[in-house]
């Protein structure tokens, strides 16, 4: 069992930056692949970014590619999502997720553990 707690969300103007953190407890993240997802009001949860178990491979949704960066610090048991050049359409609740699979996963159903989410609001 692993518990995930996101932080770092908030209100930012378009073009600004935020860094989300996802701190894990209960298990070490070195054996977990991680993902970030987001859900806007009235929309389905969508994939944002994922990182492999060791942290050497990443993948991103086309909508955030080049603007967002996912990183994993196994020593701190934390995963980060650096978000730059934010747009109003990035407004959503952001969730981190963990799973003990080995390969990258972009489907929400592939992840067993989820955080409670952190709100990101981008004003125009």
């Amino acid at each position: 069992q692993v518990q995930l707690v996101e932080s770092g969300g908030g209100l930012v103007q378009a073009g600004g930056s935020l860094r989300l953190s996802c701190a894990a407890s209960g298990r070490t993240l070195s054996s977990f692949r991680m993902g970030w997802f987001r859900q806007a009001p009235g929309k389905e949860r969508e994939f944002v970014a994922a990182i492999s178990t060791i942290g050497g491979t990443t993948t991103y949704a086309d909508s955030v590619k080049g603007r967002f960066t996912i990183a994993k610090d196994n020593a701190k048991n934390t995963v980060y999502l650096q978000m730059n050049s934010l747009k109003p359409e990035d407004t959503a609740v952001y969730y981190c997720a963990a799973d003990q699979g080995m390969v990258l996963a972009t489907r929400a159903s592939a992840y067993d553990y989820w955080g409670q989410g952190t709100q990101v609001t981008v004003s125009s």
Side-chain angles (χ1 to χ4, degrees):
Q1 192 80 1
V2 61
Q3 292 77 43
L4 304 173
V5 179
E6 302 97 334
S7 61
L11 173 64
V12 64
Q13 288 188 331
S17 298
L18 283 174
R19 188 177 79 157
L20 305 183
S21 299
C22 174
S25 60
R27 297 281 300 276
T28 175
L29 287 185
S30 60
S31 60
F32 287 81
R33 62 185 175 187
M34 303 295 296
W36 283 97
F37 292 77
R38 67 186 181 186
Q39 188 166 18
K43 296 187 176 181
E44 293 186 355
R45 190 168 298 189
E46 64 173 358
F47 168 75
V48 175
I51 190 165
S52 61
T53 303
I54 298 175
T57 307
T58 59
T59 189
Y60 298 90
D62 288 343
S63 58
V64 306
K65 200 171 294 183
R67 299 188 298 123
F68 290 12
T69 302
I70 186 171
K72 192 181 186 196
D73 188 333
N74 286 330
K76 294 184 178 180
N77 231 27
T78 301
V79 174
Y80 303 97
L81 185 68
Q82 178 66 44
M83 306 186 296
N84 298 328
S85 302
L86 283 161
K87 305 175 182 180
E89 51 264 43
D90 294 319
T91 295
V93 177
Y94 283 70
Y95 301 88
C96 71
D99 181 76
Q100 287 189 286
M102 293 300 294
V103 299
L104 291 174
T106 61
R107 295 175 293 108
S109 60
Y111 293 87
D112 292 329
Y113 304 102
W114 292 82
Q116 83 291 346
T118 185
Q119 177 71 47
V120 171
T121 303
V122 184
S123 63
S124 57

